[in-house]
Amino acid sequence: MEFVLRVEDEIDIRVFFLRLWDARKIIVFFTFLVSLLTVIVVISIPNIYVAKAIFLPPKSANSGMSAMLSQLSAIPFLAGVGVDSDSVADPLEVLQAHLKKKENLWKVIKKFNLVSYYKIDSGLQIDVENIYCEALSISKDKKSGLVNISFEDERPELARDIVNYN
C-alpha cells in the first residue's frame, strides 16, 4: 500500500497563522470573557470548612453503648432492637444511631441555635434536622477501624464547636 500525498491535503502553516492573526481580537475577547466569568464564579462560592474528630471505637461487647443497647431488648415493645448476647454491635452503627436520634439532634440544634442560623422559615423541624444531618458525617476507616465524625459549614468556629460537642 502506497501512501500518496495530494496537494489539497496539505496544510499551509503560513495561511493557518495568518487566519489566527486575523481572528486575534475575537480570541482575546473570548479568553478574557471566560477568565472573567471564572473569577466571578470562584469568588461568589462560599468557603466551606470541615471540622473532623477521629477516635477509636470501643472494642468489647460490654462497652457502654453496647450494654445500653442490649438492655433495650428487655423492654417488651422494643424487643429485637438491642444486641444479642453472642453478637457484637458495630460501633459505627451505634454511634450513628445515637447521634441521629431526635433527642440528640435537637440538643445540638438548640445549643447552637441552628434554626435561626440556617434561617429556616417553614417552621418544620424536619427541615432543620435534614440540613444538620447533611452537614454531619460519620464514617469508619476500614483498615484502621478509626471512627471519623465531621461537620462542614461556612463558619469554621461553628463546625469545630459542633464536632467537639458531639
Side-chain angles (χ1 to χ4, degrees), residues 123-143:
L124 299 174
Q125 290 183 345
I126 193 75
D127 292 338
V128 181
E129 293 169 3
N130 286 340
I131 291 173
Y132 172 73
C133 287
E134 284 176 14
L136 181 68
S137 172
I138 306 163
S139 62
K140 181 178 179 182
D141 186 358
K142 292 184 181 189
K143 283 186 177 180

Side-chain angles (χ1 to χ4, degrees), residues 14-29:
R14 286 179 290 161
V15 172
F16 176 72
F17 280 117
L18 285 176
R19 286 195 183 175
L20 277 177
W21 185 254
D22 291 341
R24 70 186 178 275
K25 290 180 182 176
I26 295 172
I27 293 170
V28 168
F29 173 74

Side-chain angles (χ1 to χ4, degrees), residues 58-69:
K59 294 286 184 190
S60 68
N62 294 327
S63 66
M65 286 289 189
S66 298
M68 192 169 57
L69 279 178

Side-chain angles (χ1 to χ4, degrees), residues 26-45:
I26 295 172
I27 293 170
V28 168
F29 173 74
F30 280 111
T31 303
F32 177 75
L33 183 66
V34 169
S35 299
L36 183 66
L37 288 174
T38 303
V39 168
I40 290 171
V41 167
V42 167
I43 289 174
S44 66
I45 295 174

Side-chain angles (χ1 to χ4, degrees), residues 20-148:
L20 277 177
W21 185 254
D22 291 341
R24 70 186 178 275
K25 290 180 182 176
I26 295 172
I27 293 170
V28 168
F29 173 74
F30 280 111
T31 303
F32 177 75
L33 183 66
V34 169
S35 299
L36 183 66
L37 288 174
T38 303
V39 168
I40 290 171
V41 167
V42 167
I43 289 174
S44 66
I45 295 174
N47 293 331
I48 302 294
Y49 298 95
V50 178
K52 184 184 277 189
I54 302 171
F55 61 92
L56 279 170
K59 294 286 184 190
S60 68
N62 294 327
S63 66
M65 286 289 189
S66 298
M68 192 169 57
L69 279 178
S70 66
Q71 291 174 359
L72 288 178
S73 62
I75 301 172
F77 60 88
L78 289 177
V81 174
V83 181
D84 296 337
S85 60
D86 40 324
S87 70
V88 177
D90 182 22
L92 178 64
E93 291 175 8
V94 172
L95 182 65
Q96 284 177 334
H98 176 73
L99 290 178
K100 295 197 176 183
K101 195 169 124 181
K102 281 211 185 269
E103 175 185 327
N104 296 328
L105 283 176
W106 279 96
K107 281 181 186 176
V108 176
I109 290 170
K110 287 178 182 175
K111 176 168 177 55
F112 296 103
N113 199 13
L114 296 180
V115 175
S116 64
Y117 174 70
Y118 289 130
K119 298 178 181 120
I120 308 258
D121 296 330
S122 68
L124 299 174
Q125 290 183 345
I126 193 75
D127 292 338
V128 181
E129 293 169 3
N130 286 340
I131 291 173
Y132 172 73
C133 287
E134 284 176 14
L136 181 68
S137 172
I138 306 163
S139 62
K140 181 178 179 182
D141 186 358
K142 292 184 181 189
K143 283 186 177 180
S144 65
L146 296 174
V147 175
N148 300 314

Side-chain angles (χ1 to χ4, degrees), residues 7-18:
V7 175
E8 55 264 1
D9 288 344
E10 291 182 6
I11 297 175
D12 189 4
I13 295 290
R14 286 179 290 161
V15 172
F16 176 72
F17 280 117
L18 285 176

